[in-house]
Structures are given as C-alpha cells and as structure tokens.
C-alpha cells in the first residue's frame, strides 16, 4: 500500500489522466524529500536562511536602480540547496507561509536600513502564489512598514505573469489595494504565460520583467530577438518600463540598449550578493567593468 501511495503521488505530479508504476527510486526520492522538509522546517524556525540581493541596473547609465531579494539556504547536512529544490517542498508542506513572511519582513527591514544610511534603493520581493491569495497580505505589509519605518515606494512586489493571469479579476483587486498603499508591482517572467492583452492593460502594474530564457538566446535566436523587441515595444506602448533578467553577455546588454530596455539584472553586472556587499556598492562607484573583474576573475 505504501508503494502504491508513492506511485499515486508520482502520477498526480504529472497531471490528470496519467498513471505511474512504483519504482525503487521513488522511495529514495521520498526519503530525500522528507529529510529536506525536516531540515527546512528547522531552518525556518531558527531563521537560518539568508536573503541575497541582485542589483538591477540602468541600461543607459550603469547605475544601480534597484535590487531583487533572493532567498538562499545553506544547510549543515545538505549543503547549499538551490531555491528550485526547496521552494516546491515549502509549497507542498505549507512552509511557504512562514518562509514567505520571513522574506517580506527581512526585505522591508533591509530597505529601511539602506534608506536610513542615506542610500535608498528599491527592493523587489517575489510573492508566492499562496501569499498573493492571502486576504491579509496588504494588512501584513502595512504592519511591516510601520514596524521598520520603511517607505512603501522603496518596495516593489513581484508576481509571475502566470499567477496574475490565472484569475485576472482577483489580481486586479489585489493590485489596486497594494498600489493604494504605495507599493509598485512588477509582472515577473513575462512572456512565459498566456497573457490576455485586454487584461494586461487594465492591471495596475509598474514594470514588466522579461524572463531570462528569452534573454539567454536573444543574440543567437531570431525568434527570441523578435519576441523581446515586441515585448519592449508593447510595454512602452502601455507606458511601462522593462527589466531584463539573466543578462550575462555584453552582446545581450548591447541588444537591450539598442531596443530601449530601461534596466537589467544578471551576472554581467553582479550575482546576488549579501546585504553588506550591496551596501558597499551603493556607497561607491558601480561600474560594471570593475564588478566583472571582482566576481569573474
């Protein structure tokens, strides 16, 4: 019965109308997942996770105009665990709720600290689908602003295009409440979902983010180049600036510059860094060439 149960969950993971037969590796995968859940639960309880911040850079000037908060986890037993491994576990076990709240609080506190130090910078925070659906989200965000003295205009909330378009009417209501509080909203991973343009023009978003998969091949794949140009042009028609993710090559940056993209983030400028490193960057010159020498020598 236990083996059949494992096979059932494997079938469910592949969608409706499928079947799966038990294999021994399913037991191993379940054991690893259980271990990760226990270790992650402990990490959340002891606040053993960390936020790193990846700079978002003005394409024209090379100056930092924002940072994206990205979750990092190094476990004593598991080592460094990438988010694409532990986030699904957090979602399926309910840990995503305390984990997401910790990210919100930590990022708001850090934004206030940078502002108090005279180097205010916009901090982008990814919202999970579960957070986005919580009715108390606006109230919780207002509590964090009051608690740490964070200005709402320094916080940008990111929601994926897929999640926003899953229920556009609800998304519109939530976006309006958040915008009323002073937050800006970015539509993340744009181009990977199935947006209705009629809904998109009604959503009160402040920025579109082009998914890294399109940027990766933009100088080698004509279809990706055409799509990125079209997204930038469409965003500008709607009066929205664009952020390109995953920029790793100078040729990609040149392409974005020639097509009017406002800002970018990626390893060409800097990887995601601890808050202390970002503080030093905000307090001094931020020339990409110097950063490339530092991180990619």
């Amino acid at each position: 019965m236990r083996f059949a149960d494992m096979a059932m969950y494997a079938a469910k993971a592949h969608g409706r109308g499928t079947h799966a037969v038990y294999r021994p590796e399913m037991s191993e995968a379940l054991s690893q997942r259980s271990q990760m859940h226990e270790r992650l639960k402990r990490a959340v309880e002891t606040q053993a996770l960390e936020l790193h911040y990846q700079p978002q850079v003005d394409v024209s000037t090379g100056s930092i105009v924002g940072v994206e908060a990205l979750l990092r986890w190094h476990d004593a037993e598991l080592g460094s665990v990438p988010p694409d491994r532990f986030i699904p576990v957090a979602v399926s076990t309910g840990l995503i709720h305390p984990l997401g709240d910790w990210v919100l609080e930590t990022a708001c506190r850090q934004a206030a600290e940078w502002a108090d130090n005279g180097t205010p910078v916009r901090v982008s925070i990814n919202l999970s689908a579960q957070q986005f659906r919580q009715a108390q989200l606006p109230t919780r965000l207002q509590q964090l602003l009051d608690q740490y003295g964070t200005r709402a205009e320094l916080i940008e909330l990111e929601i994926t295009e897929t999640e926003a378009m899953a229920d556009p009417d609800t998304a519109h209501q939530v976006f309006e409440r958040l915008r009323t509080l002073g937050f800006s909203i970015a539509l993340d991973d744009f181009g990977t979902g199935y947006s209705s343009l009629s809904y998109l023009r009604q959503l009160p978003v402040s920025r579109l983010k082009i998914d890294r998969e399109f940027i990766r091949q933009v100088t080698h794949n004509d279809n990706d180049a055409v799509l990125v140009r079209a997204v930038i042009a469409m965003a500008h028609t709607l009066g929205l600036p664009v952020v390109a993710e995953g920029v790793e090559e100078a040729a990609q940056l040149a392409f974005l510059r020639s097509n009017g993209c406002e800002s970018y983030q990626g390893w060409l400028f800097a990887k995601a860094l601890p808050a202390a490193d970002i503080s030093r960057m905000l307090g001094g010159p931020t020339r990409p060439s110097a950063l490339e020498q530092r991180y990619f020598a």
Side-chain angles (χ1 to χ4, degrees):
M1 288 297 293
R2 183 165 57 88
F3 292 166
D5 201 46
M6 293 181 193
M8 178 188 70
Y9 281 105
K12 285 184 174 182
H14 290 89
R16 294 178 178 273
T18 63
H19 73 279
V21 178
Y22 171 78
R23 300 187 306 277
E25 53 264 35
M26 289 182 182
S27 294
E28 182 180 354
L30 183 63
S31 176
Q32 293 176 351
R33 186 180 182 86
S34 178
Q35 181 192 24
M36 184 175 295
H37 171 236
E38 290 302 319
R39 299 298 300 177
L40 182 59
K41 181 180 179 182
R42 179 173 177 78
V44 172
E45 291 172 348
T46 61
Q47 297 190 1
L49 297 113
E50 187 178 8
L51 281 187
H52 284 192
Y53 301 86
Q54 185 169 47
Q56 296 176 339
V57 187
D58 186 283
V59 168
S60 300
T61 66
S63 61
I64 297 175
V65 293
V67 295
E68 179 181 0
L70 297 169
L71 194 58
R72 295 292 182 262
W73 178 32
H74 183 86
D75 182 74
E77 292 184 9
L78 302 176
S80 294
V81 187
D84 60 359
R85 285 188 58 203
F86 70 80
I87 291 298
V89 174
V91 170
S92 65
T93 60
L95 284 175
I96 193 65
H97 296 292
L99 186 60
D101 191 70
W102 179 86
V103 170
L104 284 177
E105 181 171 357
T106 304
C108 286
R109 183 173 64 243
Q110 185 60 63
E113 181 179 320
W114 280 325
D116 291 343
N117 290 338
T119 54
V121 64
R122 184 184 68 239
V123 178
S124 296
I125 307 171
N126 293 281
L127 293 178
S128 68
Q130 289 79 1
Q131 282 177 296
F132 186 65
R133 297 190 192 109
Q134 288 181 328
Q136 66 269 31
L137 174 64
T139 301
R140 176 56 176 156
L141 284 166
Q142 185 61 60
Q143 289 175 345
L144 292 174
L145 296 185
D146 296 339
Q147 181 177 351
Y148 295 107
T150 313
R151 303 200 309 269
E153 61 266 26
L154 293 177
I155 301 297
E156 181 175 75
L157 303 169
E158 295 188 12
I159 185 73
T160 65
E161 174 195 11
T162 300
E163 180 59 33
M165 293 303 170
D167 186 349
D169 293 333
T170 298
H172 187 276
Q173 295 174 12
V174 176
F175 284 177
E176 283 290 1
R177 290 185 65 191
L178 294 174
R179 188 173 69 167
T180 300
L181 293 175
F183 298 100
S184 58
I185 301 165
L187 208 55
D188 196 13
D189 294 346
F190 192 80
T192 61
Y194 303 95
S195 289
S196 164
L197 294 182
S198 63
Y199 277 117
L200 178 60
R201 65 184 176 85
Q202 297 175 29
L203 290 177
V205 297
S206 308
R207 206 176 321 274
L208 294 185
K209 298 190 72 176
I210 303 178
D211 186 70
R212 66 182 62 247
E213 282 303 307
F214 297 113
I215 301 301
R216 185 169 58 87
Q217 293 291 326
V218 75
T219 58
H220 308 289
N221 186 305
D222 290 341
N223 289 334
D224 284 354
V226 168
L227 188 144
V228 171
R229 288 193 189 98
V231 169
I232 294 172
M234 180 191 66
H236 290 171
T237 300
L238 295 172
L240 298 175
V242 177
V243 183
E245 296 184 295
V247 178
E248 298 181 358
E249 301 173 3
Q252 296 168 342
L253 178 56
F255 174 91
L256 295 170
R257 183 180 293 113
S258 66
N259 285 279
C261 182
E262 284 80 8
S263 56
Y264 76 97
Q265 62 187 88
W267 280 40
L268 177 64
F269 189 87
K271 61 182 179 180
L273 300 167
D277 287 350
I278 296 295
S279 297
R280 285 190 286 270
M281 293 169 68
L282 293 174
T286 57
R287 293 173 295 179
S289 58
L291 289 164
E292 288 171 17
Q293 291 175 9
R294 178 179 175 184
Y295 294 109
F296 304 107

